[in-house]
């Protein structure tokens, strides 16, 4: 079935299609503004962080000993320099003065 060749109806359909297209273009332009893109990215990040925090909290509540062990391990790895320095310092203090050091020479005088 073909539509009747009414120029006024064709113009009306063309105008409606153009209006619909322009509304779509306006919506796309609004969404692509840098401010809106940044706002949407911040909302997505906020949602992701809250989801991760919620899941982490649930995992810790389910396995507190495992969480404590992992946290302690991470703490030891991060503090390994300090721990090594403490053991080296203690080792140096208990070794005493070396033979022929300046402290022994001054007492022999």
């Amino acid at each position: 079935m073909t539509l009747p060749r009414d120029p006024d109806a064709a113009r009306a359909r063309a105008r409606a299609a153009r209006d619909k297209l322009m509304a779509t273009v306006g919506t796309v332009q609004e969404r692509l503004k840098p401010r809106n893109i940044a706002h949407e990215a911040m909302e997505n990040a906020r949602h992701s962080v809250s989801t991760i925090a919620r899941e982490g909290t649930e995992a810790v509540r389910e396995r507190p000993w495992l969480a404590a062990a992992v946290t302690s391990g991470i703490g030891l790895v991060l503090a390994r320099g300090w721990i090594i320095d403490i053991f080296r310092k203690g080792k140096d203090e208990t070794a005493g003065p070396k033979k022929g050091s300046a402290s022994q020479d001054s007492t022999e005088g």
Side-chain angles (χ1 to χ4, degrees):
M1 187 188 319
T2 61
L3 296 174
R5 294 186 177 195
D6 182 12
D8 292 332
R11 284 188 197 103
R13 284 194 308 274
R15 190 175 307 118
R18 185 174 47 248
D19 291 344
K20 185 177 178 182
L21 176 64
M22 295 311 282
T24 302
V25 168
T27 302
V28 169
Q29 284 178 336
E30 187 65 27
R31 289 189 69 192
L32 291 179
K33 286 184 179 178
R35 180 180 346 115
N36 293 339
I37 291 173
H39 179 71
E40 187 175 336
M42 288 296 293
E43 288 297 319
N44 289 341
R46 185 177 298 132
H47 177 70
S48 297
V49 168
S50 66
T51 300
I52 290 169
R54 186 177 340 99
E55 290 173 359
T57 303
E58 290 171 7
V60 169
R61 286 182 181 157
E62 290 173 7
R63 299 178 194 94
W65 289 105
L66 178 62
V70 169
T71 305
S72 299
I74 291 171
L76 288 172
V77 168
L78 293 176
R80 69 183 178 271
W82 293 339
I83 295 169
I84 291 170
D85 290 344
I86 290 169
F87 282 113
R88 282 185 185 159
K89 202 178 281 186
K91 189 182 217 182
D92 291 342
E93 291 174 359
T94 58
K98 296 179 181 177
K99 286 188 176 181
S101 67
S103 61
Q104 284 183 344
D105 292 339
S106 65
T107 57
E108 291 179 1

